[in-house]
């Protein structure tokens, strides 16, 4: 019986292998006779994919300082599987927006409003989150997700504005980064100018703040600030086993939290 069972498995394996080979041979013959079929099928698949994406809800992603678009691809993929299409925005003065200069808070406010339409949903990281929180009411957004930003002060990390500006210039020049030094320095100054405790103030926009749990002392300070939130339209969550770039290490978890937030608030 055991030998019979083994023979059957071998025969079954051979049979399925033979069918697979025949299917491949038939496919090859078909393509030889119809050379445009594969190309047409490819275009059909691409068109179907583009149509699916066009039906997705569009969400804007405002980067942090030094963020690269490639960094956000895992999160974009995770969101896409949930029906959300991320539209990536570099900060002015870096990467694709390197030539867009900013010298004041008013110029930055206008720049963001030009890029992000009224009543949009936005996901903003680090420095991008600082600006989103600072201009929140002026932007007239429906939802804002702040990724590990808009919560710490320079004092929390034992620094000051003069040091941040000096370090930024040195780092950009030494590493030959695609950034406009003057604009980046202005952005750091603007952040301090418009800083606000978004968790304590009433906002019309629904806000979700996601924080990482790394760097123990800083993590404690974040939790202390959020525990007594007075903003009824503000929510927060901790993304466990994550670093400052939350969306890099935990793209699926972040995408799930974002989706749930949009669906329930």
């Amino acid at each position: 019986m055991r030998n019979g069972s083994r023979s059957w498995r071998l025969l079954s394996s051979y049979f399925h292998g033979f069918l697979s080979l025949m299917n491949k041979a038939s496919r090859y013959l078909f393509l030889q006779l119809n050379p445009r079929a594969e190309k047409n099928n490819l275009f059909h698949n691409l068109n179907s994919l583009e149509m699916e994406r066009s039906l997705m809800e569009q969400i804007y992603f405002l980067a942090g300082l030094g963020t690269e678009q490639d960094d956000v691809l895992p999160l974009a993929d995770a969101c896409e599987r949930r029906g959300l299409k991320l539209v990536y925005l570099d900060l002015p003065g870096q990467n694709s927006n390197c030539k867009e200069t900013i010298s004041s808070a008013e110029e930055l406010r206008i720049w963001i409003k030009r890029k992000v339409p009224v009543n949009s949903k936005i996901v903003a990281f680090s420095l991008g989150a600082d600006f989103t929180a600072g201009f929140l009411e002026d932007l007239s957004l429906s939802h804002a997700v702040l990724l590990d930003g808009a919560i710490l002060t320079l004092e929390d990390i034992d620094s000051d504005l003069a040091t941040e500006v000096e370090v930024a210039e040195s780092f950009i020049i030494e590493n030959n980064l695609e950034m406009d030094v003057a604009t980046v320095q202005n952005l750091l100054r603007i952040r301090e100018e418009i800083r606000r405790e978004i968790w304590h103030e009433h906002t019309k926009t629904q806000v979700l703040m996601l924080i990482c749990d790394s760097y123990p002392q800083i993590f404690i300070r974040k939790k202390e600030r959020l525990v007594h939130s007075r903003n009824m339209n503000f929510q927060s969550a901790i993304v466990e086993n994550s670093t400052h770039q939350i969306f890099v290490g935990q793209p699926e978890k972040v995408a799930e939290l974002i989706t749930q937030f949009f669906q329930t608030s």
Side-chain angles (χ1 to χ4, degrees):
M1 186 69 177
R2 184 175 300 170
N3 290 337
S5 177
R6 181 172 180 272
S7 298
W8 167 250
R9 287 200 298 270
L10 289 172
L11 180 61
S12 177
S13 176
Y14 171 78
F15 179 70
H16 286 295
F18 177 74
L19 285 180
S20 177
L21 183 61
M22 289 297 293
N23 286 335
K24 289 179 180 178
S26 298
R27 176 66 177 167
Y28 175 78
L29 179 60
F30 174 76
L31 290 176
Q32 295 303 308
L33 297 174
N34 302 273
R36 298 182 61 185
E38 185 72 10
K39 186 175 182 180
N40 290 338
N41 186 55
L42 175 61
F43 282 127
H44 174 73
N45 290 337
L46 288 175
N47 289 335
S48 296
L49 182 59
E50 288 304 314
M51 184 175 294
E52 288 178 10
R53 286 177 173 169
S54 69
L55 296 175
M56 290 180 180
E57 184 175 13
Q58 188 162 283
I59 311 299
Y60 293 86
F61 185 99
L62 184 58
L65 189 61
T67 305
E68 300 279 350
Q69 187 167 1
D70 286 350
D71 299 335
V72 187
L73 290 180
L75 177 62
D77 289 342
C79 286
E80 189 169 296
R81 289 193 295 273
R82 293 166 172 83
L84 303 176
K85 178 184 177 182
L86 286 190
V87 177
Y88 180 84
L89 296 174
D90 269 318
L91 287 175
Q94 72 172 23
N95 302 326
S96 65
N97 289 327
C98 185
K99 294 183 179 180
E100 298 200 38
T101 58
I102 294 292
S103 59
S104 68
E106 178 62 11
E107 286 183 7
L108 180 60
R109 183 187 68 82
I110 293 172
W111 183 89
I112 297 175
K113 284 180 70 71
R114 191 173 72 246
K115 299 289 185 179
V116 183
V118 170
N119 207 37
S120 294
K121 294 181 174 70
I122 194 171
V123 177
F125 169 60
S126 194
L127 190 59
D130 290 326
F131 297 143
T132 299
F135 295 127
L136 193 63
E137 296 308 307
D138 290 329
L139 297 178
S140 300
L141 305 168
S142 66
H143 294 72
V145 180
L146 309 177
L147 302 181
D148 213 44
I151 186 168
L152 294 175
T153 65
L154 290 177
E155 291 75 19
D156 290 328
I157 57 175
D158 299 319
S159 187
D160 56 61
L161 181 57
T163 301
E164 291 284 299
V165 168
E166 182 181 346
V167 169
E169 179 179 11
S170 299
F171 190 78
I172 292 169
I173 294 174
E174 290 172 7
N175 292 277
N176 195 29
L177 299 178
E178 193 177 5
M179 293 182 178
D180 181 79
V181 174
T183 295
V184 169
Q185 291 177 322
N186 288 335
L187 292 180
L188 294 174
R189 296 187 182 99
I190 293 168
R191 176 185 61 187
E192 298 308 299
E193 180 183 336
I194 66 172
R195 184 182 297 282
R196 59 188 293 198
E197 296 183 341
I198 199 72
W199 54 92
H200 282 329
E201 304 175 23
H202 174 71
T203 61
K204 295 179 181 178
T205 301
Q206 297 291 326
V207 180
L208 171 66
M209 180 179 287
L210 301 181
I211 62 174
C212 72
D213 61 355
S214 55
Y215 323 111
Q217 293 303 316
I218 293 178
F219 180 48
I220 291 172
R221 290 173 186 170
K222 291 176 184 175
K223 290 196 298 182
E224 288 173 346
R225 289 207 170 98
L226 297 178
V227 72
H228 298 302
S229 172
R230 295 193 296 268
N231 183 350
M232 298 298 292
N233 291 330
F234 178 89
Q235 304 174 43
S236 63
I238 298 166
V239 180
E240 296 180 349
N241 302 314
S242 63
T243 61
H244 179 53
Q245 278 192 305
I246 281 180
F247 52 88
V248 174
Q250 299 286 358
E252 291 293 335
K253 181 62 176 177
V254 172
E256 185 61 29
L257 289 169
I258 291 173
T259 305
Q260 290 176 358
F261 171 61
F262 289 160
Q263 290 175 346
T264 60
S265 61

